[in-house]
Every structure is written in structure tokens, then in C-alpha cells.
Amino acid sequence: MARQPEFRIERADTAALEVYRALRTEAFVERQGLFDGHDLDDRDDDSRTIVLVARDTAGTVLGGVRLGPVDNGEDLGWWSGGRLVVRHGVRQGIGAALVRAACAHAETAGVLRFEATVQARNERMFTRLGWVSIRPVTVADSPHVLMRWPIGRIAALAKATKSDLGSLLHGLTGVPGFVGDDGVPVPGSDLIAACDAIIPSMVERDPEWAGWCSVLVNLNDLAAMGAEPIGLLDALGARDKSFASRVLSGLRRASVAYGVPVLGGHTQFGVPASLAVTALGRTSNPVPGGGGKPGQRVRLTADLGGGWRPGYTGRQWDSTSTRSTVELRAMLSAVGRARPDAAKDVSMAGLAGTLGMLAEASGCGAVLDVGKVPRPRGATVGDWFTCFPGFAMLTVGNPLDAGPAAGADCGELVTGYGVRLRWPDGEQTRVIEAGVTGLGTS
């Protein structure tokens, strides 16, 4: 019992909300004189605003903070925090704990830009907590500082999935003009080859879905090259026949749905779960991933149907398993029919990370307009920008006609490096500093 925490932080109920607002009145109206009568505003009336409070072991509210979307429009993953208050005379530490809890809550909610206008005298505390000062502002005729919490979700995903490729692959033979592409032209032919492995833990956990995805990811790779699929080869490791049958069931179902045959492969029993598939396609004029140049608009064409795969909320969007063969083939053939200057299908690095790969291969940087990105209902900006979608293609040049998939211009290639997000207020936040893979210009 002696080690029990002196306070806990939780979301405010109705009674706690009343106490929190009373603490604000006492602090900001009566003691500091920042407001006349009350400090309530539109944010307090917004049903999306969240209030976190700190309670002691007796349940007494010791302080609180509010956070939520910046305006009454669509939630674009841009939130602000504010009205941080601690009961007068209570020991230090509660305010900092409330700030940390607000940051954690915002990131869990899929926020990619989180800011607060902080009283100038509190800037030092926020800086110690990791916040970055942006610029001085005035609130209620009092000096404040606009501060931003650095959210590294996009950069962390890109680093974890792609950053080691350059050093690992150095010296291996590639095809000039297609280094780092989703597929590779086979020299001396019109064949395109692509190969992807499924994460072993996913094969073990959800074998049927792993089988489906092994087809999906490889055919999307061919689609990004503008290639017509010919067939598939699979390499499966399984502990026994029963487990292998579940993986192959998903693979077989996807093969039929897409109308692309499995030509052969290899299956081994008595080994840990593993699955890799090679896809073969054909085009005499492959579309490179690095064919863009500064000044060109970037377009996202994505299938917004479906929903989160059960058990993978926020990580894998399933828009393909309920589509017809006609719909699936319309999406697969879109790049080949449109012939854009560059194309990349959104993969493990997520939307922003994949855009960084396209820009890196093109020898430039990129800006992504957050408010213009096609996004399905039910997906936060943070999740959508970092998940693996069923079908999502980034292109530069001619727009795609991809059947059920929706498309929109949502960014541009620029001189420089890395990826920046551009917000409705014109502010830009850098989410990827430089190249994603280290493979360099294609």
C-alpha cells in the first residue's frame, strides 16, 4: 500500500468536469485575472473535446487539462491542448503528469499535430517534457508561447521498415532506372518480377489472411509497374498439413478473386511459419517509382471501401476481400492504362513513408496536403497515414481511372529532401527528414 500512487489520471466524468471548470475559474479568472467572469469558450461546447483530470486517493480532483480537434470541421489529426490547471497549493508534478497523459492520449487518437498555447512562465516546464517552442503569441492580453509536441509516428515507421535497405543492398546488382521499385524488369524481356514475404507472426496468427495478403501485395507491386499479371509462385513453411491448408486456403481464394493463377512453388512441413510469394507480370514499358520531378503534383488513388481487418485495427485496412474480380482487375490495370510518370503502391512504410520513397527515387522531396488526402470514414489521419491499405497508389502525372478506387491530387514534389505535411492553416510539419531507404535516386 505504501507504493500506491498519490494520484491517478483519468477521463473526467460529469462531476469531475464541474470541479475542473471551477478550478479554472479560480485560477484564470480570480487569481490571474486573465478573463472576466469565466474562461469558457467554444472548445468547451465541442462534444469531441476531452478533459483529463488528476485525482488523489480519496477521489478529489487535483487538476485537469483539455484537448481535442482545433476547430469544428473535419478532424484532420490536428489537435490542441489547453486550460491546464492544478489546484492551488497542491505539490508540483501533477501538471507535468497531465501534460504527458494528454500527449499519450492524442497520439493514441491518431493525432499527427498536437499543439498548445502555453503561458510564457510555463514554457520551461513544457520544454523539459520534450515540447518545441514555435513562436510567441498573445492570449487574453497575456504573453504565451505556441508549443508543439513532436509526434514521430511516421518517421518511426519508415525507419523500422525501410531505413536499413540502402546499406544492406549495397553492391547487389539492380536494373538502372528501377532501383527500389516495387517490381523489377527482367533484362532482355518484357517480364516484370515482384517478390514479397509476409511477416511470420502474421502467418502464425492469421494464416488465411496471410495467404490472401501474399497475393494482394505482389499484385499491387506489379500494378505499380503498369504490368499485367501472369502468375504466382509461393514458398510456404508450416508446422503441419492442417496449418498449411489454412494458409493455402487464403492464397487460393485470392488467386481466384484476382483471376491470377498459382503456377507452382514449394511447401515444407515441420518448420516455423513462413510465406513468400513471387509474382510475374508483363509490360514492354514499365512505370518507374522514381520518374517524378519537382513541381509535379502527387495524386493518391485508394479504395476506401471495407474496414479494418479484425485484430488489426489501425494497421491493416481490408478493402479487397469483398471486391469482385472485375473491380479488383480494374484497380490492378489502372497504372498500365494511364501511364503516369511515376507510381508507388502504398506499402509497409505507410502513405507518407511511401511518398518519401517515391520522392527519394526521384531525387527530390515531397509535401502532402493533409486535408486533401482521400481517407475512409472510420480511420483517423494518423492510422490512415501509417497503415497498410488494401489498394492505394501514389502517382505523378496522368490520373488513374481505377474502378471503385477514389483519387485526388493531394501533394507535390519539391526540391530538397524528405516529406512535409501541409495543414489547412498553411503550416508545414516535417515528418521525414531525408531519404527513406538510403537507396538514393533511381
Side-chain angles (χ1 to χ4, degrees):
M1 291 297 294
R3 295 205 303 266
Q4 293 298 308
E6 297 179 12
F7 62 90
R8 66 184 185 276
I9 296 176
E10 61 190 26
R11 190 162 179 172
D13 56 19
T14 302
L17 183 61
E18 291 183 3
V19 177
Y20 164 67
R21 290 181 175 177
L23 291 176
R24 282 168 42 180
T25 299
E26 190 273 333
F28 303 134
V29 178
E30 298 172 4
R31 277 196 293 113
Q32 299 180 27
L34 297 176
F35 303 94
D36 294 327
H38 66 82
D39 71 330
L40 300 176
D41 58 20
D42 293 343
R43 296 286 306 283
D44 292 299
D45 296 327
D46 191 335
S47 60
R48 301 170 300 172
T49 296
I50 295 164
V51 173
L52 303 177
V53 295
R55 295 180 184 268
D56 64 14
T57 55
T60 303
V61 174
L62 304 177
V65 66
R66 72 179 186 185
L67 65 155
V70 295
D71 56 37
N72 295 324
E74 181 185 6
D75 182 359
L76 294 177
W78 173 18
W79 283 23
S80 65
R83 296 298 196 270
L84 173 67
V85 64
V86 176
R87 184 180 293 275
H88 188 58
V90 173
R91 72 173 187 82
Q92 294 181 347
I94 292 177
L98 284 165
V99 172
R100 287 194 293 267
C103 294
H105 192 101
E107 293 202 45
T108 301
V111 173
L112 293 178
R113 179 182 173 186
F114 187 43
E115 297 168 336
T117 50
V118 177
Q119 291 190 44
R121 61 190 178 89
N122 291 329
E123 179 181 4
R124 185 177 178 183
M125 180 190 78
F126 276 75
T127 300
R128 288 199 306 266
L129 293 174
W131 288 62
V132 178
S133 300
I134 305 300
R135 54 182 169 269
V137 294
T138 300
V139 177
D141 297 323
S142 174
H144 284 63
V145 179
L146 177 64
M147 304 194 74
R148 182 175 298 148
W149 173 247
I151 297 177
R153 177 173 182 172
I154 290 174
L157 177 64
K159 178 177 175 58
T161 57
K162 302 293 181 180
S163 66
D164 290 326
L165 294 181
S167 58
L168 283 172
L169 302 179
H170 179 71
L172 291 178
T173 301
V175 177
F178 296 94
V179 176
D181 274 68
D182 300 295
V184 60
V186 178
S189 74
D190 63 352
L191 290 176
I192 304 294
C195 182
D196 258 314
I198 303 301
I199 298 173
S201 60
M202 178 179 162
V203 182
E204 190 71 46
R205 175 186 179 186
D206 200 347
E208 290 89 350
W209 178 238
W212 176 279
C213 287
S214 69
V215 175
L216 161 70
V217 296
N218 278 283
L219 295 185
N220 281 350
D221 285 347
L222 292 181
M225 302 290 290
E228 176 76 13
I230 298 172
L232 305 162
L233 301 169
D234 72 288
L236 170 63
R239 59 178 176 265
D240 53 33
K241 176 183 176 181
S242 175
F243 185 86
S245 70
R246 297 172 64 190
V247 177
L248 293 174
S249 173
L251 191 152
R252 183 183 298 109
R253 188 164 57 88
S255 170
V256 171
Y258 280 96
V260 180
V262 177
L263 304 176
H266 175 77
T267 302
Q268 184 171 351
F269 301 125
V271 295
S274 64
L275 177 63
V277 167
T278 297
L280 300 175
R282 177 171 282 122
T283 179
S284 59
N285 189 21
V287 176
K293 58 184 178 181
Q296 288 187 296
R297 295 292 297 171
V298 172
R299 187 175 183 86
L300 175 68
T301 304
D303 186 1
L304 307 183
W308 294 117
R309 171 71 180 177
Y312 299 90
T313 298
R315 293 178 293 158
Q316 292 188 26
W317 185 265
D318 175 19
S319 63
T320 59
S321 64
T322 57
R323 291 293 186 194
S324 68
T325 300
V326 172
E327 291 173 321
L328 293 171
R329 293 303 291 254
M331 290 187 285
L332 289 185
S333 63
V335 172
R337 287 182 282 110
R339 309 303 309 174
D341 296 325
K344 291 282 290 184
D345 82 293
V346 178
S347 60
M348 293 296 291
L351 171 59
T354 302
L355 177 57
M357 294 168 67
L358 187 154
E360 179 184 15
S362 299
C364 59
V367 175
L368 189 62
D369 288 299
V370 178
K372 297 180 180 179
V373 173
R375 176 167 56 96
R377 293 183 179 181
T380 67
V381 168
D383 287 345
W384 184 242
F385 279 31
T386 55
C387 78
F388 183 86
F391 176 87
M393 198 73 63
L394 285 164
T395 56
V396 173
N398 298 333
L400 308 187
D401 177 8
D409 287 348
C410 56
E412 61 188 280
L413 298 181
V414 297
T415 56
Y417 304 94
V419 177
R420 300 191 303 272
L421 302 183
R422 183 159 52 208
W423 301 88
D425 64 342
E427 190 86 4
Q428 295 187 20
T429 56
R430 185 174 290 276
V431 291
I432 294 178
E433 289 294 331
V436 175
T437 65
L439 293 170
T441 304
S442 178

